[in-house]
Amino acid sequence: MKFKEIIELLPYQKPFLFVDELIEISENGISGNYTFQKNESFYEGHFKDNPITPGVILTETMAQIGLVCLGIYLLKDKISSEKKPQIALTSNQIDFFLPVLPNEKVTVISEKEYFRFSKLKCKVKMFNDKNELICRGTIAGMIIAK
């Protein structure tokens, strides 16, 4: 399955799609990136005169790249344009260390802990262009082809 096909199968669209490209993928993990444009709607009020990407958006970015894209890849033989992936986030625990500012590009690296009974759990990390750790943690969800 090609990277572009995985992104096209995501159940998201702008303004809630936080995947620009996938860099690497295997049965054990995935990496990809996203650039937060200065005109993203959430910057208008978070924070006044000092826009910072909300933690929930960083978590969503890690989930889209590190969990959903990987899940689509792992289910590649069962997913198609007719049988789209169904996704439900079940848990996450994320620690934040650095802010992400407008126009900043981030890279997400995810390592599969397990995938069984349709539940995928991954260790995820997010880095900035200086290779500084922005946040890290675990994300789990249910992914099935329906």
Side-chain angles (χ1 to χ4, degrees):
M1 182 173 264
K2 294 184 168 100
F3 295 165
K4 185 178 178 189
E5 291 174 293
I6 294 169
I7 294 171
E8 288 172 358
L9 286 169
L10 288 169
Y12 316 104
Q13 64 184 15
K14 288 290 184 188
F16 209 74
L17 174 65
F18 301 111
V19 182
D20 285 335
E21 82 175 321
L22 300 176
I23 302 164
E24 192 175 329
I25 194 165
S26 74
E27 296 289 321
N28 298 311
I30 190 168
S31 63
N33 59 50
Y34 181 74
T35 301
F36 289 96
Q37 302 300 321
K38 68 179 178 183
N39 61 349
E40 307 264 10
S41 62
F42 48 80
Y43 287 132
E44 291 177 29
H46 193 265
F47 290 96
K48 185 177 174 183
D49 301 323
N50 186 27
I52 295 174
T53 309
V56 68
I57 299 294
L58 298 178
T59 301
E60 179 65 27
T61 303
M62 289 192 297
Q64 287 186 19
I65 294 171
L67 193 78
V68 182
C69 287
L70 179 58
I72 290 170
Y73 177 78
L74 294 173
L75 290 171
K76 61 185 173 267
D77 296 331
K78 297 177 183 171
I79 291 178
S80 67
S81 56
E82 294 81 35
K83 290 182 108 182
K84 299 212 184 265
Q86 303 293 309
I87 295 128
L89 184 66
T90 58
S91 65
N92 70 74
Q93 188 281 313
I94 307 294
D95 295 317
F96 299 92
F97 305 105
L98 293 173
V100 174
L101 305 175
N103 294 322
E104 194 165 352
K105 181 179 180 178
V106 298
T107 299
V108 174
I109 299 172
S110 177
E111 180 184 325
K112 179 181 76 176
E113 285 193 355
Y114 64 80
F115 184 46
R116 60 181 171 267
F117 306 114
S118 300
K119 186 169 184 177
L120 176 59
K121 183 176 181 183
C122 298
K123 291 180 186 176
V124 291
K125 295 178 182 177
M126 180 182 283
F127 296 90
N128 61 21
D129 272 344
K130 298 176 192 170
N131 206 31
E132 298 169 319
L133 182 64
I134 295 167
C135 51
R136 70 173 172 224
T138 58
I139 299 178
M142 301 296 290
I143 302 176
I144 58 172
K146 235 179 181 176

